[in-house]
Amino acid sequence: MALQHPADRGGGKRGPFERFAEAASLFTSSPVFHLLCLAMVVAVVVTHASGVALEWKVFAGECMTAVTLLLLALLKNSEQRADRAIQRKLDAIATALVESHVGDREQAFEDLKAAIRMEEET
């Protein structure tokens, strides 16, 4: 199994994981998710303050750890997709600048146009 950058997987189209990651990223940046996290923190505090059995305290802590790990993976995926989109835009701009001095402006213009708003597609 070769490790690839998320933007390089699946060619030019977005796969099911990329669509899921985008939807999850949009959800985790919503006020609903913020309230859900706040409720989870309150539940953990109440669990620890109420003096319930140790098993429930451990379970609450493990749930928080699992959510934290998933959010970290989602954040890293979003960061890599954004980095790749920015790099592709910079490459298109650099190519357009070079080709504008050479004379092959049509292809450079099309590459630049395709790179604009690319982070929404990858």
Side-chain angles (χ1 to χ4, degrees), residues 29-95:
S29 62
S30 72
V32 173
F33 184 75
H34 179 74
L35 290 175
L36 187 67
C37 287
L38 186 60
M40 186 179 285
V41 169
V42 168
V44 168
V45 169
V46 168
T47 301
H48 283 278
S50 65
V52 296
L54 179 62
E55 291 84 17
W56 285 106
K57 291 178 183 178
V58 170
F59 177 72
E62 288 175 349
C63 287
M64 291 293 286
T65 303
V67 168
T68 302
L69 180 62
L70 290 173
L71 287 175
L72 181 64
L74 179 65
L75 178 66
K76 187 61 179 174
N77 180 275
S78 296
E79 176 189 356
Q80 287 181 338
R81 286 185 293 122
D83 286 348
R84 182 53 59 102
I86 289 170
Q87 187 59 51
R88 291 166 87 181
K89 287 178 184 181
L90 289 173
D91 290 346
I93 290 169
T95 302

Side-chain angles (χ1 to χ4, degrees), residues 79-122:
E79 176 189 356
Q80 287 181 338
R81 286 185 293 122
D83 286 348
R84 182 53 59 102
I86 289 170
Q87 187 59 51
R88 291 166 87 181
K89 287 178 184 181
L90 289 173
D91 290 346
I93 290 169
T95 302
L97 287 172
V98 168
E99 290 180 357
S100 70
H101 291 288
V102 174
D104 185 16
R105 295 180 185 185
E106 186 171 324
Q107 182 60 39
F109 178 73
E110 292 301 320
D111 290 344
L112 184 57
K113 204 163 88 173
I116 295 172
R117 309 295 292 171
M118 189 174 292
E119 70 273 4
E120 293 177 359
E121 298 173 8
T122 58

Side-chain angles (χ1 to χ4, degrees), residues 17-34:
F17 178 76
E18 286 81 13
R19 289 192 302 271
F20 169 75
E22 181 68 25
S25 180
L26 291 174
F27 175 68
T28 57
S29 62
S30 72
V32 173
F33 184 75
H34 179 74

